[in-house]
Amino acid sequence: MRIVAAKKILKANEQTAAENRERLAAERIYGVNLVGSPGCGKTTLLESLFRRLEGRASPAVIEGDIAGQIDADRMAKIGVPVVQINTDGMCHLDANMIAAATDDLDCRGVDVLVIENVGNLVCTAGYDLGEHLRIVVLSVPEGDDKLVKYPAIFQRSDALVVTKMDLLPHTNFDMERVTGDMKRLAPEATIFAVSAIKGDGMDELADWFVETKNTTIRKGG
Ligand SMILES: Nc1nc2c(ncn2[C@@H]2O[C@H](COP(=O)(O)OP(=O)(O)OP(=O)(O)O)[C@@H](O)[C@H]2O)c(=O)[nH]1
Ligand SMILES: [Mg+2]
C-alpha cells in the first residue's frame, strides 16, 4: 500500500511539473533547476553568471532552503526578483512549491527563472519541477568520485558545472575522471569547468546559457 502511495505522489508531481513547464513556456520564460550539494557554490555561481547576462537575459530566482533567507537576500542585493521557499526540513523542492512561488514572483520582463534547489545530491534527483534545463553543480573540494556514488542526479541533468576550479592545485581532484563519468552517465550533457570567484570559464558558461535559453524560447519551450 505504501508503495502505491509513493507512486501516486510522484505521478501528481509529474502532472504539476508539466503544468509549470507549459505556464513558463506560455509566458516565454526559460526554467532552470540548479542542483548540487550544500555549499558546492550554487548561489555564488548565480551571482557570477548574472553579472555576465546583462543585456542578454532578465533572470528571476526561486531559492529553496530548509530554513532562512540568506540566499534570497544575496539575490535581492544584486537586484534580482526573488522568492524564498523554506521547506521546513524537506530535502528537495517539488512542483507544487514552484507553482505557488511563481504566483508570488513579479515576472514582468523576466525571461529566465532559475530555481536554486535545496543543497542535496539525492532527493532532488527524483522531482521534476517543470524546468526546461537541469544543471548540476559539483565543486572540486567535494571530490571526483561523486558521479559514481550519486549517479541519478548526474544522469538526469542537461549540464554539469564543475566549480571552484581555483582550488584544483590543493586537491587530488581528477577532472578527466569526472568528464569520463559524465559522458558515460549523460552523453548529451554539456560540461563546464569554472571558478565563480575568479571568473575562469564563466564567459563560456554565460554564452552557452544565453544560446540555449534563446533556442528554447524560440521553439516555444
Ligand atoms: N574558492 C572558491 N570558493 C567558492 C567558489 N564558489 C563558491 N565558493 C565558496 O563556497 C562557499 C559556499 O558557496 P555558496 O554559493 O553559498 O554555496 P551553495 O551551493 O549556494 O550553498 P547552499 O545554498 O547552502 O547549498 C562560500 O564560502 C563561497 O564563497 C569558487 O569558485 N571558488
Ligand atoms: Mg545557495
Side-chain angles (χ1 to χ4, degrees), residues 12-88:
N13 186 73
E14 274 169 33
Q15 174 66 36
T16 311
E19 288 163 13
N20 288 348
R21 198 159 12 251
E22 277 168 30
R23 177 179 172 184
L24 289 174
E27 294 179 27
R28 304 181 75 74
I29 297 175
Y30 183 52
V32 180
N33 183 3
L34 188 66
V35 296
S37 309
C40 66
K42 297 178 291 301
T43 313
T44 309
L45 187 75
L46 291 183
E47 289 165 337
S48 179
L49 179 66
F50 290 168
R51 272 201 299 279
R52 290 167 170 81
L53 296 184
E54 244 165 74
R56 298 192 288 168
S58 300
V61 171
I62 295 174
E63 286 290 353
D65 281 291
I66 307 255
Q69 57 174 65
I70 291 173
D71 285 357
D73 288 345
R74 287 170 68 179
M75 288 297 119
K77 197 171 167 196
I78 57 168
V80 174
V82 61
V83 169
Q84 176 81 54
I85 297 174
N86 279 158
T87 62
D88 204 16

Side-chain angles (χ1 to χ4, degrees), residues 25 41-42 53 59 81-82 99 102 112 120 123 127 130 136 163 188 194 205 210:
K42 297 178 291 301
L53 296 184
V82 61
T102 310
V112 179
N120 192 299
C123 317
Y127 284 80
V136 59
T163 189
E188 305 292 318
V194 307
L205 176 63
V210 170

Side-chain angles (χ1 to χ4, degrees), residues 3-16:
I3 292 168
V4 173
K7 275 191 180 156
K8 270 190 191 162
I9 290 166
L10 282 174
K11 191 108 197 109
N13 186 73
E14 274 169 33
Q15 174 66 36
T16 311

